[in-house]
Every structure is written in structure tokens, then in C-alpha cells.
Amino acid sequence: MTAMTARPVLPREASLLRIVAHGLVGATAAPTPVEAVRRQLAVQGQQVSAVPHALVVRSRGATGSDVGAAFARGDLVRSWPMRGTVHITAAADHHWLRVALMHRTQAWVRRSEADYGVNEALCERAAEIALDLIAERGPLTRSALLEAWQEAGLMEAFRGEDVSAYRRRHLLVRLQREGVLVQGPRSGNEHLVVDAGPLPDADSGPAGVGVGRGDPGHAAALAEIESGHSSDAGDDDLDAAVETARERRESAVAAARRARADETEARLALRTAEERERSGRGRADSLRAAARREREARAAAERAEARRAAQLAVASRVRDQARAAVDAARAWIEEAQGERARIEAERAEASAATGEVRAELDALAVELSQLTDAAHRDEVARAEQRMRLKSLAERAMNELGLELEPLVEEYGPHMLVPATAEDGGADGDAAVSGGDGTDGAEGADGTDDDGAADRRAAADPGRPYVRAEQERRLARASRDLARLGKVNPLALEEHAALEQRHQFLAEQLADLKSSREDLLRIVEEIDTRVQEVFTRAFEDTARQFAEVFDRLFPGGEGRLVLTDPGDMLATGIEIEARPAGKKVKRLSLLSGGERSLAAVALLIAIFKARPSPFYVMDEVEAALDDTNLERLLEIFTELRQSSQLIIITHQKRTMEVADALYGISMRDGITKAISQRLAHKG
């Protein structure tokens, strides 16, 4: 009983006496836990839960909450881990202490690279993953960091051996040694991993710059470390420590009195616990009755399993009878697929021909439009000329009383040519344009009103006909005529030919549309048949997958789900897997062995739904343990009753169930094949 009451007091007293015995009296009078660590440069604890105690006894008036707050603020950090101890330093001293003492671990680094492959490239990749994850999530637990490295493939086998258990520990120590990571805030019984970059660098320490081995400041750094651990303490500090110990002893006596009172309360609690124990016995009897009922239920389940075995035998017979129908259906499907491919090729050719015809039709339509516009322009121009000639004849008859022949006789080339604007006449404008809007040529032909003609005749009787001048006037008139466009005399014939060509192409297009409808109908029939066959195959595979998954994952649940059940031709297939004891269904959240076993379950389900004469598998059981491998080998035994299995493996258990073994070995650079047929009992 005395030991029970004194137990809460002894660790603190013992710690103080131990510190005094080592001459570290000054470390017990620090105002804060951070200052207590800085006075010794580093403090070690045997475990994470003991660190607050080790720092509290070294500082006056401090509590465990103060220690936790110092870690949370980043004033204290846990440096590179050491076997069996927790190494605590102040954040300001972390990097220069690490650099000054790094040479002491060079042999360990070389051994880590040689034994476990922890080289510079691996460390850089691990540091990149860790820093990105810390930037995203904040401080990390060791388990979360190690899981991220595992998923990134950093825990691969080294020289054919699985060294992941050693590599993950060495990799974390290596990154903390290199100053990439550090452990800081406490969560539960561990210190979380954080980025060591924000901490003060090695050159900011009390030893100055260049504190690494071989640098100018290395000797100063070692002297600083030695002064921090010196046992030379003054008498005043020793007296103060003794006085402190005496005061704490008096408080321990008071605590012992309180512990005796607590003992009385504990006795009462013991009697209460005995009463609860007696009531628990009755509950145990009820649990035994429940266990008996559970055994009865288990016997009923075994009988149900026997019935399922009988039903399985019946299903096997049905399966054998259905194989012939499945083979016939498979042949028909292959024939249909070939026919579909042929039809698709014909449809592609027809589509290409349709495109060419459409392009030709478009070109002909453009050409027809151009010809139609040209013919229309020509016809309009001729109509305008006829209308103008008719208008001139009517005007000459109405105004002058003359027909065209007499008009030409009177105003022909043998007559004087009236002056025009180009000749500089006073009435040139009137010569260029008649009073009724006609051009100068009309005025020259005598179609102007009589008053104007008489005035021009009186002013300038005209000039003799000069061919050069009239040719210039003809050129101007020709330009005006050119604006009207050329007249195509064959426009109507070309229009008729194009119209006939258009009718022929329209008939061809109608024929192509009819062929397209026929092809689409055939494709629809093929798609319907393929959808029916795929639906039956998926249902068979899904049913087999559920059975195989239940055998490989006892107590688990697995099924195949369509991503788009409404479109069977374009839908995808997802795997929902929930091993026993887990809530997750996504395949990506399972472990590597579980994902491998789920993939094997899908493969075997396909084999059972659509059997084949033989199967070839390459190390499908490489990631499985003995229990899961035994379950898989039972299924392999069932498959080889109807099919031949060829398995590439390194598993001894798999080799033991085989009928024949074929091995490949190399000796002296020569590859040799070894075969052995095995004899099995029964």
C-alpha cells in the first residue's frame, strides 16, 4: 500500500536527484521548458509520453500544457529519431547541431544505401512527396507519410528482397538527418512530421557560419556543445537545487496524506466493483445461452451449405448442357461481327460516294446559278437594247416623223457630225446627254428635241466625219456596253443540260438515301443482337464474380456494376469490392494484395461464365499470402477439371498442385529448360 501512495511522487524526486548527481543543476532552474532545453542544447526522453515530465522537472512552475504549447508553436522540435530515445532540441539550435554532428552518421548512411537502397535519388523523390503532402494537409502522422511513400512505389524490393520494413524507417531518419523534415506538434503518442525548412539555418547558431566537419566553425560548434553539457556547477546552484528538492519533498509528504485518503476511497470502489462482478456473472450466463444458440445456428448453416453443394452439382450439369448452346451462339456472334464489319465498310464507301456526289451537286448548282445569272443578264441587256431601239424608232416617228432608214440617210457618216462636249462646244452637256435622259450617241443620231438641235446647228453646224474621233466615241460606247456583260447564245442549251444532270444526280441521291436506310436498319439489328449477347454475358459474369469473390473473401461482398445501364453498347464496368471488416467499396482504397485478389476474382468469373479449353496466367498469385493462395488454388483445381491451365509462378504451393513443372535456369551463361511430371495421390 505504501508503494501505491508514493508512486506519483517518486519519479519527480528521482529525476531531480538524477539531474543534481550529473551536475546539471542549472538546468533545473529554467523559467520555461524552451530555456531548459537551450541550456543543455538537447534533452532526451525514453518515450514520447515522458518528454513533458523531463522538461517540467527542469523548469520552475511549468506544466505539461506548457510543453505541448511549445511544440505546437514550433519553439521545440524532435530531431532525427534515435533507437529507444526521443531527442528534443530548440528550433533555433536544430540545424546547427545537426550539421555539426552529421559526420558521426556517415557510416550509417553508407550501410543504409548498401543494404536497403536508400540513395540520393530515392531521398529526393521521398522528400518531394513528403513536402507536397505537408503543404496540402499540414503536419502528418508517420503512418500517413509511410502510406504515401508506399503508394508512390518507393517500397519496392531491393535485390530481390522485401526491405520495406527497414527502408521506411531509414528513409525517414535520412530526411531528418539531411534537414528536410522534423517532428513537431504532438498528437496522441507521437510527434507529427513537418517541414524543417522554416527553422533557422545552421549559420544563424551561436557557433557562427561553417559548423560542419572540416569547416572553420566546426571547432567552435563542438566547444558550444561541450559547454552546454558541462558538469561544472557552482555552490549557489547546488544549494538552490537542494532547497528545491526539500520543498518538493514536503509537498510529496502532503501528497502521501492525500494518497491515504484516496486509498480509503479505493477500498469503497473495490467493494462496488465486487458487486458489479456478481451482476456480471448473471450476464455471463446469458452470454453462454446466446453462444449455445449460436452453435445451433451454425449447425443449421452447415446443413444449408450441404444443400447449396447439391444445388451446385445440379448447376454444373446445367452448365455442361449449356456449353453447346454457348459455343453455337459464339460462332453466330463471330459471323454477325464479320457481317457487321462488311456492312460498315460498304456504308463507309457509300458515305464517301454520297459526299462526292454532294460536292459535285454543289459545284453544278453554283455553275447553274452563274449560268442562269449570265443568261438573265444577257436577256435583260438584249431586251433593253430592243426597248431602246424601239423607243428611238417611236421617238423618231413621233417627234420627227421619220423612220430609221431615212434617219440614217439624213444623219449618216456622210453628214456633218454635231459638236460634243469633248470638242469644247458651248452646248456640250446637251450633246452628251439628251433632254430625255439618253446618251450622247442618241443625240448624235438626231433624237434630240428640235429646239436644241436648231440651236446647236445655228451655233456650230458640225464638222466632217473623222474616223479617229468616232472610234473614240465607239470605244466609250463599247465600254458602256461591256458593263452590260456578254451574251451567251448557248445559255439555254447549257441550262437544259445542267437541268438533266441535276435530275440524274437527284435520282442517284434518292437511291443512296434508300441504301443508307437499309444499312442503318441492318446495323440496328446487329446492335440489338450484340446488346442481347453482351447483356447475357455480363449477367453470367456478374453472378460468377459474386460467388468467386465470396470464396476468396469470406464474409465480404463484391459485385460488378454497369456505369451506364441505359446504353449497353457504350457502358463501362466498375468493380465494387468490400472485404470483411471494411466499409470501403472503391477498388483504389484497397491494399495492393486485396486489389490483386479482386482482379483474380474477376478473371476467374470470366473463365467460369465463358469457359475456354485452356488458360495462360502469369504470376497472378504473386502478391497473395498463404491463406488467400490456398483459396485460389482450390478454384484452380476446379478449373483444370474442364480446362488446361498454364501458370507462370514462383510460389511453391502452386507448384505442388501442378501436374507438370517446366523450369528455366541459367548456368555459365547458358539457358536450360528443366521439366518434371508430378504424381498426385487419389
Side-chain angles (χ1 to χ4, degrees):
M1 189 62 63
T2 302
M4 292 179 59
T5 59
R7 186 174 182 181
V9 181
L10 281 178
R12 188 176 186 90
E13 272 191 334
S15 298
L16 287 171
L17 294 175
R18 183 179 179 184
I19 293 172
V20 173
H22 284 80
L24 302 174
V25 178
T28 64
T32 62
V34 178
E35 184 62 25
V37 175
R38 297 206 66 177
R39 289 185 180 186
Q40 293 186 243
L41 295 181
V43 176
Q44 291 185 359
Q46 293 302 314
Q47 54 189 4
V48 175
S49 60
V51 171
H53 174 79
L55 298 183
V56 166
V57 298
R58 288 168 167 82
S59 54
R60 294 179 179 176
T63 63
S65 302
D66 297 333
V67 177
F71 278 104
R73 292 193 307 269
D75 296 336
L76 295 178
V77 295
R78 178 180 175 181
S79 62
W80 55 97
M82 305 178 70
R83 184 181 299 273
T85 62
V86 180
H87 195 196
I88 306 300
T89 62
D93 297 330
H94 173 76
H95 278 310
W96 78 266
L97 285 174
R98 177 185 59 80
V99 175
L101 302 175
M102 186 178 293
H103 64 281
R104 301 178 61 185
T105 58
Q106 290 296 336
W108 173 85
V109 171
R110 291 190 295 271
R111 186 169 62 255
S112 178
E113 294 180 357
D115 296 342
Y116 311 120
V118 185
N119 52 26
E120 293 292 338
L122 184 66
C123 292
E124 291 178 359
R125 178 59 178 156
E128 180 182 358
I129 296 172
L131 295 178
D132 291 343
L133 202 60
I134 291 171
E136 179 181 355
R137 303 182 184 177
L140 299 174
T141 61
R142 290 174 54 130
S143 60
L145 180 58
L146 297 179
E147 183 179 357
W149 285 345
Q150 181 75 32
E151 294 179 354
L154 302 186
M155 301 298 140
E156 298 178 350
F158 181 66
R159 297 176 180 175
E161 298 181 0
D162 185 9
V163 295
S164 58
Y166 303 97
R167 178 180 286 182
R168 62 184 62 175
R169 183 172 67 250
H170 281 246
L171 192 57
L172 179 58
V173 175
R174 181 76 175 273
L175 293 182
Q176 293 190 261
R177 174 186 179 273
E178 301 295 335
V180 178
L181 302 177
V182 71
Q183 293 178 257
R186 180 178 174 182
S187 175
N189 198 31
E190 68 172 318
H191 291 282
L192 302 180
V193 181
V194 297
D195 184 6
L199 301 182
D201 57 17
D203 295 338
S204 62
V209 298
V211 297
R213 188 176 186 182
D215 295 332
H218 183 64
L222 296 180
E224 183 68 23
I225 295 173
E226 183 178 358
S227 64
H229 289 76
S230 175
S231 63
D232 185 14
D235 294 336
D236 294 338
D237 292 337
L238 180 60
D239 293 338
V242 173
E243 182 66 25
T244 302
R246 186 179 294 109
E247 293 175 356
R248 294 181 178 179
R249 180 180 180 182
E250 293 176 356
S251 63
V253 173
R257 296 191 184 97
R258 293 191 298 270
R260 293 189 185 95
D262 295 338
E263 180 188 2
T264 303
E265 295 178 359
R267 290 181 182 273
L268 296 175
L270 177 61
R271 294 190 180 93
T272 304
E274 291 175 352
E275 294 292 332
R276 292 179 179 176
E277 192 271 337
R278 283 192 293 271
S279 64
R281 291 177 183 175
R283 187 179 180 184
D285 294 336
S286 64
L287 291 176
R288 293 190 187 94
R292 183 170 58 255
R293 292 192 297 271
E294 180 66 21
R295 287 193 295 272
E296 294 175 356
R298 186 175 298 176
E302 292 176 354
R303 292 191 295 272
E305 181 66 22
R307 290 194 299 271
R308 286 196 297 270
Q311 294 173 358
L312 180 61
V314 176
S316 298
R317 291 193 297 270
V318 173
R319 180 194 62 189
D320 296 334
Q321 295 174 0
R323 281 180 177 175
V326 171
D327 294 335
R330 185 181 294 110
W332 190 90
I333 291 173
E334 293 176 354
E335 183 179 356
Q337 290 176 348
E339 183 68 15
R340 179 181 180 181
R342 185 184 62 79
I343 294 173
E344 289 288 346
E346 294 178 355
R347 184 173 68 178
E349 295 177 357
S351 299
T354 303
E356 295 176 356
V357 171
R358 288 178 178 175
E360 187 175 357
L361 283 175
D362 294 337
L364 292 176
V366 173
E367 186 177 357
L368 177 61
S369 178
Q370 294 175 352
L371 293 175
T372 303
D373 294 339
H376 180 70
R377 288 194 300 272
D378 294 341
E379 187 68 24
V380 170
R382 287 194 296 271
E384 289 178 353
Q385 292 295 333
R386 287 194 298 270
M387 291 297 295
R388 180 176 296 179
L389 183 61
K390 184 178 179 180
S391 176
L392 290 175
E394 292 177 355
R395 184 177 179 184
M397 180 60 68
N398 294 330
E399 296 181 0
L400 303 176
L402 296 175
E403 295 183 352
L404 292 178
E405 290 79 3
L407 186 62
V408 171
E409 182 64 24
E410 294 180 7
Y411 296 94
H414 59 282
M415 303 297 294
L416 295 176
V417 179
T420 62
E422 289 80 0
D423 300 329
D427 205 21
D429 294 337
V432 175
S433 177
D436 59 351
T438 58
D439 56 11
E442 296 173 354
D445 292 337
T447 58
D448 298 327
D449 58 276
D450 296 337
D454 293 339
R455 289 191 298 270
R456 286 195 299 271
D460 187 2
R463 64 183 65 186
Y465 176 83
V466 181
R467 185 176 183 85
E469 296 177 357
Q470 302 307 313
E471 286 180 349
R472 288 194 296 272
R473 296 179 63 187
L474 178 61
R476 291 194 298 272
S478 298
R479 288 194 297 271
D480 295 338
L481 182 62
R483 297 190 185 101
L484 299 176
K486 296 182 179 179
V487 178
N488 186 7
L490 302 178
L492 296 177
E493 290 80 356
E494 293 178 356
H495 175 74
L498 290 175
E499 186 176 8
Q500 184 178 2
R501 177 65 175 172
H502 178 267
Q503 183 178 1
F504 172 75
L505 294 177
E507 293 176 355
Q508 293 293 319
L509 181 61
D511 188 21
L512 290 174
K513 290 182 178 179
S514 177
S515 301
R516 180 176 179 273
E517 293 176 356
D518 295 338
L519 292 174
L520 291 176
R521 184 174 62 257
I522 295 173
V523 171
E524 183 178 0
E525 293 175 357
I526 294 175
D527 290 342
T528 302
R529 182 59 181 168
V530 171
Q531 182 175 352
E532 293 175 355
V533 174
F534 173 77
T535 301
R536 291 197 298 271
F538 173 76
E539 292 175 352
D540 296 340
T541 305
R543 183 171 56 256
Q544 294 292 339
F545 178 78
E547 296 177 359
V548 174
F549 190 89
D550 184 63
R551 295 181 63 182
L552 296 179
F553 295 89
E557 180 184 1
R559 65 190 185 110
L560 300 180
V561 180
L562 296 176
T563 59
D564 188 6
D567 188 3
M568 299 297 289
L569 297 178
T571 184
I573 300 175
E574 293 183 352
I575 300 176
E576 291 185 357
R578 184 184 63 79
K582 294 188 177 182
K583 296 182 180 180
V584 297
K585 291 185 178 182
R586 293 178 58 186
L587 199 63
S588 60
L589 299 178
L590 300 179
S591 64
E594 290 173 339
R595 289 197 298 267
S596 177
L597 195 59
V600 172
L602 176 60
L603 186 64
I604 294 174
I606 296 173
F607 292 166
K608 287 181 172 288
R610 296 295 184 269
S612 178
F614 67 92
Y615 306 107
V616 180
M617 289 170 280
D618 188 1
E619 297 190 43
V620 297
E621 81 291 26
L624 304 181
D625 55 14
D626 291 341
T627 302
N628 293 324
L629 179 59
E630 183 66 27
R631 297 168 183 162
L632 181 61
L633 292 180
E634 292 178 359
I635 297 177
F636 281 173
T637 303
E638 296 176 2
L639 288 176
R640 73 178 185 179
Q641 293 178 0
S642 58
S643 304
Q644 182 179 359
L645 274 66
I646 301 174
I647 302 176
I648 301 172
T649 183
H650 292 92
Q651 295 283 356
K652 184 178 180 181
R653 296 283 300 279
T654 306
M655 300 178 189
E656 291 176 351
V657 302
D659 296 328
L661 296 178
Y662 298 91
I664 305 298
S665 65
M666 178 179 288
R667 178 175 295 178
D668 299 331
I670 300 175
T671 303
K672 183 178 180 182
I674 304 172
S675 61
Q676 179 67 46
R677 182 167 297 276
L678 304 180
H680 298 280
K681 296 181 179 180

